[in-house]
Amino acid sequence: MKWSITNLLKLILLPVLSGMCLPLAAQQRNMAKDTVFIVKHDTIYNYQTEPTTSTNKYEKRLNRYIRRWKSLIPTYTKLQFAGNMGLLSIGTGWDYGKKNQWETDILFGFIPKYESKRAKVTFTLKENYIPWDLRIKESDFSISPLTCGLYLNTVLGNEFWISEPDRYPKGYYGFSSKVRIHIYLGQQITYHIPRIKRFRGKAISLYYELSTCDLYIVSAATNHYLRPRDYLSLSFGIKTQIL
């Protein structure tokens, strides 16, 4: 009789004891998986914990690699009229610096053939500096009262040269007909598109530039009869800020 009662108590208590120990065992198993289950008043709480893993040299190098490639993504596009780089030029660029006050443009321009044999394509590498960007109070507009910079421009093709051809006497021209160095001053106004209205960009800027080049500066210094309109060029452009 005693044996039967003892066995009966075992049959009743074992499942109960097993049930009491199960949450602790489950908790230990899940802790290995960074997940903790806590049973309180018949309610199960699930806490996800972050695994503490140290970044090794490979992961650091990979992060640097990704950041460098991301920095090559252009942040804006430009369309410019005139400027001694073609009748119309289009390109893209990057802004950088603490206040994005520096810009680097890459532009391709188009020169109609006019009286020449064919139309021509130009390539321009341009560096801009925009020291101030003043927000107009209680509006989505800002003004850059000064923009300045310099750019190198070349005409693609064999009609122009960097070094004087042999058919000319040495020092006859003294300059390259293929590459021009330009400087400019200008201004810019920007419309900052509200977030809910953005589609292709977050800002649109209109600008103008007054520029000249190395050859024009030498000509103006040595030929006093030239007027500003002879050695200055006025251009207009639009910039769409993407990032």
Side-chain angles (χ1 to χ4, degrees):
M1 186 69 179
K2 292 181 180 181
W3 181 85
S4 301
I5 293 175
T6 302
N7 285 323
L8 182 61
L9 290 174
K10 289 181 180 180
L11 292 175
I12 295 174
L13 293 176
L14 277 176
V16 176
L17 293 173
S18 299
M20 292 175 64
C21 296
L22 181 59
L24 180 59
Q27 178 176 332
Q28 293 175 348
R29 287 195 303 270
N30 286 286
M31 284 179 66
K33 300 179 180 179
D34 301 322
T35 304
V36 178
F37 292 94
I38 298 178
V39 180
K40 185 177 181 181
H41 302 299
D42 298 328
T43 303
I44 298 177
Y45 298 91
N46 183 3
Y47 294 90
Q48 297 289 336
T49 61
E50 293 292 335
T52 56
T53 57
S54 58
T55 303
N56 55 33
K57 292 183 178 180
Y58 166 75
E59 291 172 342
K60 291 180 180 179
R61 188 162 55 249
L62 180 62
N63 291 334
R64 288 196 301 267
Y65 178 81
I66 294 173
R67 284 198 304 270
R68 288 170 183 171
W69 276 106
K70 283 185 176 180
S71 65
L72 297 179
I73 300 175
T75 58
Y76 59 82
T77 59
K78 277 188 177 181
L79 180 68
Q80 182 168 324
F81 172 76
N84 288 319
M85 60 176 69
L87 177 66
L88 197 65
S89 300
I90 187 171
T92 187
W94 302 262
D95 51 10
Y96 46 92
K98 291 183 178 180
K99 297 182 179 179
N100 290 333
Q101 71 272 28
W102 292 98
E103 294 180 350
T104 300
D105 301 343
I106 293 178
L107 301 163
F108 288 92
F110 170 75
I111 304 176
K113 66 178 183 178
Y114 295 121
E115 296 179 357
S116 61
K117 295 181 180 179
R118 65 177 183 87
K120 301 175 182 62
V121 176
T122 67
F123 173 76
T124 302
L125 179 63
K126 188 177 181 184
E127 186 68 17
N128 313 306
Y129 178 59
I130 308 173
W132 305 292
D133 185 38
L134 308 178
R135 196 69 173 252
I136 300 177
K137 188 177 180 181
E138 297 180 357
S139 73
D140 295 322
F141 292 88
S142 64
I143 295 177
S144 300
L146 173 65
T147 62
C148 57
L150 57 87
Y151 54 97
L152 301 176
N153 172 260
T154 183
V155 182
L156 305 180
N158 298 322
E159 295 92 338
F160 302 91
W161 35 264
I162 296 178
S163 300
E164 290 179 355
D166 295 336
R167 64 177 179 270
Y168 298 112
K170 186 176 181 180
Y172 183 80
Y173 280 102
F175 60 87
S176 168
S177 66
K178 190 176 183 65
V179 179
R180 295 269 67 81
I181 303 173
H182 301 258
I183 59 173
Y184 80 88
L185 295 173
Q187 291 180 318
Q188 178 177 273
I189 183 170
T190 301
Y191 170 58
H192 301 272
I193 304 172
R195 186 177 298 273
I196 60 175
K197 297 181 180 179
R198 293 175 185 175
F199 178 63
R200 292 186 178 275
K202 67 177 185 179
I204 297 177
S205 302
L206 299 176
Y207 65 89
Y208 77 89
E209 296 173 355
L210 199 62
S211 63
T212 187
C213 68
D214 52 352
L215 181 59
Y216 289 171
I217 292 174
V218 173
S219 298
T222 55
N223 299 281
H224 299 290
Y225 60 87
L226 295 177
R227 298 292 181 263
R229 64 182 181 183
D230 297 322
Y231 53 83
L232 294 178
S233 175
L234 181 63
S235 59
F236 302 92
I238 180 172
K239 180 179 77 170
T240 302
Q241 192 75 31
I242 302 172
L243 301 177

